Amino acid sequence: MRVLQTLLACCLLIGSSAIHSSEVQLPKQAGIASAHPMATAAGHKILAQGGNAFDAAIAVSATLAVVEQQSSGIGGGGFWLLHRAQDGKNVMIDGREVAPAAAHADMYLDENGEVNRDLALNGPLAAAIPGEIAGFEHLAKHYGRLPLAVSLQPAIEAAAKGFPAYPRIIRTIERKAKVLKRYPASMAVYLPNGQVPKEGELIIQSDLANTLKAVAKHGKAGFYAGEVAEKMVQAVRENGGIWTLEDLQNYTIKERDPITTNYRGHQLVTAAPPSSGGIAIATILNILSAWDLTDMDRVKRIHLVTEAMRRAYRDRSIYLGDTDFVEVPIQLLTHPYYAAGLRASISPVKAMPSDYLPGINDNPKGEDTTHFSIIDTEGNMVSATLTVNTGLASGFIATGTGVLLNNEMDDFSAKPGEPNAFGLIGDDANKIEPGKRPLSSMSPTFVFSDDQVAVLGTPGGSRIITMVLLGLLDHFDGNNVHSWVSKPRYHHQYLPDKLYLEKDALDPATIEALQAKGHVIHQHKGDWGNMHAVSWNKTTGAVDAASDPRTTTGSAVVK
Ligand code: GLY
């Protein structure tokens, strides 16, 4: 039976043109890496109950929505990149939030035409219509094999019984306390008795447990219609928001063809719009593909990678938006000839100031959002990046539902050229329009190589794209999954025209050499990201998983 499965996997994966090895060994174990041990355990529990990677993805997502609500949740959305072993299908489930029908391009501008950052980021006016629950139902119906009620059970238990507060969530509550205090339902969960929970104290979310139970019973109708929907709309509107019941009822999941590209013999499958991540990664890798980075001098390598980042983020700011609303020149931006043109403008010795590049005219954050990676023993894979946007999102829990609403509207360009919370700028392609999805940087990715498959991604706002890129380059250098998630990080996003460095990323001599090439260095005091990755060696069937060492709750388990 196992041999048959192996042969079948071999043929079907070859059919997807993704894998070329003649002898494919199915994964001997399943691997899950996520941002919290309760979420990883929930995924493995569902696999043990007969579920596949897609059922496990629902369990992991839903549990993260309870125990890591500062990063993702059912009041938010995200992208699940799937690989189905049975037919080699790669697809991105787009559960991104959409702007409500009453949204309009100028909704965050004050009487002087300036962006009101508080309205764009805090409270219910900052919230777009969530997509995560619709994503769960779509995954269960079309890809999973267990009922949604089963896959949601671990999350329901975690909400009802509580989870112990841990340093990362405590820090986020402290940072967001001023906003949370505006809303009694948010206070009740995160500041019980007016106090930030202590480490180990249980955070119990009874209303959220009931909302998840309604979804377990009625599917997405338990969230987008009926009592939960009515309570959310009432709470939003009483507090200055613009949601309607029709907005919720009209929410639809989209299946997107992922962005695919080749890099020196590796095939990448990555996020499609409304994420900018896949296109930017493809552009950067196409630019870099002409050079052998592995054996290159370190300073030269960082310089060339930075110049490629600069150019891809410049394109992001001009061209990228929701393809249901704007025409994005995907073919052009991901074409090797286009990259060759960009490459020709790169000097090997000198940084090009961003304002030399035609474009539009610092405060990157980003330990919000979440990512997890799964490979099951059939070879099904999920790379999922989910978000509520900034840490603890809008800070607004809709009374009686336990649902913390996202502040994803800030991922739109509130005004051309005006930076959002991540310092990213945008133009008309990403302006606010009713029913439109805000441009994202989330970049869940698969890599199919001759002998290995990689599943990876990370949170981190505008730096998601470059963190995934650096993980990929480390993989292409021949290093293992533990190295991809640990590698020091640097970042350039076109504007502000700075080369950002994570704490201790580069030594003083390398920094000096990069400055001599004209790079303006911005040294961060902290570290970035929370990458979770899984690999599968197709020759041996061995599965490995790793979580970013930068956070203490990361949980990578192979069994
Ligand atoms: N909210 C962060 C992103 O989608 O890029």
Side-chain angles (χ1 to χ4, degrees):
M1 183 65 182
R2 181 90 195 165
V3 174
L4 186 66
Q5 281 178 342
T6 304
L7 284 174
L8 197 62
C10 167
C11 300
L12 292 170
L13 290 170
I14 287 170
S16 75
S17 78
I19 292 176
H20 310 289
S21 153
S22 54
E23 199 49 38
V24 174
Q25 287 293 327
L26 281 178
K28 290 192 169 130
Q29 292 169 297
I32 303 180
S34 87
H36 197 284
M38 287 171 77
T40 299
H44 275 295
K45 183 173 180 191
I46 291 303
L47 290 177
Q49 284 177 241
N52 60 16
F54 313 122
D55 299 303
I58 298 170
V60 175
S61 307
T63 305
L64 288 171
V66 174
V67 302
E68 203 205 17
Q69 209 181 36
Q70 73 274 26
S71 301
S72 74
I74 65 171
F79 305 125
W80 295 266
L81 185 67
L82 313 183
H83 174 84
R84 187 166 61 188
Q86 171 198 334
D87 56 1
K89 177 179 179 177
N90 294 313
V91 64
M92 185 179 96
I93 308 305
D94 170 2
R96 184 73 164 161
E97 303 89 330
V98 301
H104 57 91
D106 299 339
M107 63 189 277
Y108 298 114
L109 301 187
D110 64 17
E111 58 282 6
N112 303 316
E114 300 303 325
V115 178
N116 181 328
R117 304 292 320 149
D118 186 45
L119 284 184
L121 281 169
N122 301 316
L125 192 63
I129 304 303
E132 185 143 320
I133 291 290
F136 292 172
E137 186 179 272
H138 192 86
L139 282 166
K141 241 188 194 159
H142 300 281
Y143 296 94
R145 57 172 79 110
L146 296 181
L148 188 53
V150 173
S151 304
L152 289 180
Q153 200 49 42
I156 293 171
E157 273 173 35
K161 294 184 183 157
F163 68 93
Y166 51 93
R168 200 157 46 90
I169 194 167
I170 292 170
R171 274 199 309 274
T172 317
I173 294 170
E174 281 165 354
R175 275 202 296 264
K176 197 80 182 182
K178 243 165 93 179
V179 178
L180 297 170
K181 281 181 184 161
R182 295 179 195 168
Y183 309 114
S186 308
M187 280 278 285
V189 173
Y190 292 114
L191 296 161
N193 312 313
Q195 302 297 316
V196 176
K198 295 199 175 29
E199 193 170 342
E201 200 175 307
L202 283 186
I203 297 183
I204 295 171
Q205 301 169 86
S206 314
D207 286 342
L208 183 59
N210 288 334
T211 295
L212 287 167
K213 280 184 199 161
V215 175
K217 192 161 174 200
H218 304 293
K220 71 175 188 184
F223 182 85
Y224 293 95
E227 203 181 322
V228 171
E230 280 159 21
K231 282 182 181 167
M232 285 196 294
V233 168
Q234 186 184 344
V236 162
R237 297 187 76 86
E238 280 174 3
N239 288 278
I242 54 175
W243 289 17
T244 63
L245 281 173
E246 289 71 40
D247 284 327
L248 287 166
Q249 271 149 18
N250 290 340
Y251 185 85
T252 39
I253 281 292
K254 304 277 171 136
E255 287 211 349
R256 311 277 186 193
D257 287 334
I259 298 293
T260 56
T261 191
N262 287 294
Y263 177 79
R264 297 172 79 91
H266 303 273
Q267 187 180 347
L268 266 90
V269 176
T270 181
S275 174
S276 57
I279 292 176
I281 287 170
T283 304
I284 294 170
L285 289 177
N286 282 338
I287 293 172
L288 297 174
S289 64
W291 297 301
D292 178 4
L293 295 180
T294 302
D295 292 323
M296 190 178 277
D297 159 75
R298 187 157 186 239
V299 171
K300 187 171 175 197
R301 172 171 165 146
I302 296 170
H303 167 69
L304 294 177
V305 172
T306 303
E307 289 302 307
M309 289 173 176
R310 181 199 305 281
R311 284 154 178 80
Y313 273 80
R314 172 257 185 199
D315 287 352
R316 182 195 194 279
S317 71
I318 298 173
Y319 298 116
L320 298 194
D322 180 354
T323 43
D324 292 342
F325 284 74
V326 290
E327 205 159 314
V328 175
I330 298 178
Q331 298 271 29
L332 171 91
L333 295 173
T334 58
H335 200 285
Y337 287 176
Y338 177 71
L342 295 177
R343 192 187 309 123
S345 70
I346 297 177
S347 156
V349 293
K350 207 77 199 143
M352 178 188 272
S354 287
D355 55 13
Y356 283 21
L357 292 170
I360 51 169
N361 225 32
D362 122 71
N363 52 352
K365 304 186 176 89
E367 278 68 40
D368 29 54
T369 307
T370 197
H371 178 87
F372 65 85
S373 299
I374 303 181
I375 295 180
D376 71 15
T377 51
E378 294 164 38
N380 296 308
M381 301 187 283
V382 180
S383 182
T385 314
L386 310 169
T387 190
V388 285
N389 201 21
T390 60
L392 278 173
S394 65
F396 178 80
I397 291 183
T399 305
T401 68
V403 181
L404 174 73
L405 302 190
N406 68 82
N407 57 358
E408 221 70 63
M409 293 295 285
D410 190 59
D411 274 350
F412 281 115
S413 171
K415 184 180 171 185
E418 189 73 20
N420 73 357
F422 302 110
L424 287 167
I425 55 167
D427 205 354
D428 273 0
N430 189 32
K431 72 175 183 210
I432 301 171
E433 295 180 72
K436 190 175 179 183
R437 285 157 148 88
L439 186 62
S440 171
S441 300
M442 295 187 286
S443 311
T445 296
F446 301 139
V447 187
F448 300 93
S449 311
D450 273 349
D451 61 350
Q452 206 182 167
V453 178
V455 184
L456 73 160
T458 181
S462 60
R463 293 190 293 256
I464 291 174
I465 298 168
T466 53
M467 288 192 266
V468 171
L469 174 85
L470 295 178
L472 290 171
L473 293 178
D474 193 53
H475 170 37
F476 302 148
D477 285 340
N479 296 318
N480 68 21
V481 65
H482 302 274
S483 175
W484 315 339
V485 302
S486 319
K487 213 69 191 166
R489 293 168 177 155
Y490 57 93
H491 170 78
H492 198 293
Q493 61 179 47
Y494 168 57
L495 291 175
D497 188 352
K498 291 177 184 170
L499 174 53
Y500 293 92
L501 305 181
E502 183 184 32
K503 182 180 82 176
D504 300 331
L506 301 179
D507 58 277
T510 304
I511 292 175
E512 219 171 280
L514 286 163
Q515 283 169 325
K517 285 184 184 295
H519 293 285
V520 179
I521 304 289
H522 185 110
Q523 178 69 63
H524 271 221
K525 290 198 179 80
D527 44 32
W528 310 337
N530 196 3
M531 183 174 283
H532 303 280
V534 180
S535 64
W536 161 27
N537 182 317
K538 291 179 291 164
T539 311
T540 63
V543 170
D544 203 355
S547 283
D548 206 311
R550 292 164 180 81
T551 52
T552 51
T553 55
S555 167
V557 178
V558 174
K559 63 179 186 183

